[in-house]
Amino acid sequence: MIASNYRKFPEALALQMPLQFGRLLVWATSRPTTRLLRAIRAERGAAFKAAGRVAYPVRKTTPSWARELAKKVRDLGKLVKAAQVALVF
């Protein structure tokens, strides 16, 4: 089962491999400290943006008719609860 998953998704195997890069990935830090590293980070961000790799999810909005319907359902529930008569035996 695991081997078939790796055959279907070889990138999953590559992500689990321990890669020893040492100081090669200094430019991948979150806050570069030198002018050269800041320039590399800026170029990398521009390249990702141009490639369309930075895609933020679009929030789905609830339609107004659904919000109005939910309000009417809540109001109806309040009316039904107020109209209930307690039966005493």
Side-chain angles (χ1 to χ4, degrees):
M1 180 74 175
I2 294 173
S4 66
N5 283 341
Y6 284 144
R7 280 194 296 274
K8 280 196 266 183
F9 307 105
E11 65 273 6
L13 179 64
L15 288 174
Q16 293 185 11
M17 292 174 54
L19 302 175
Q20 300 296 328
F21 287 113
R23 298 272 304 159
L24 291 177
L25 293 178
V26 168
W27 53 267
T29 60
S30 61
R31 286 193 64 148
T33 55
T34 65
R35 186 177 341 155
L36 178 63
L37 294 178
R38 283 194 298 269
I40 290 171
R41 185 167 182 251
E43 290 296 322
R44 184 179 52 150
F48 283 168
K49 188 174 182 181
R53 292 187 58 165
V54 180
Y56 298 102
V58 179
R59 292 188 66 171
K60 294 182 180 177
T61 58
T62 307
S64 60
W65 62 266
R67 280 184 265 135
E68 292 170 8
L69 182 64
K71 184 179 183 304
K72 288 181 181 180
V73 167
R74 284 192 304 271
D75 292 342
L76 179 63
K78 288 177 188 175
L79 287 174
V80 169
K81 188 174 181 180
Q84 289 176 342
V85 177
L87 298 176
V88 180
F89 292 102

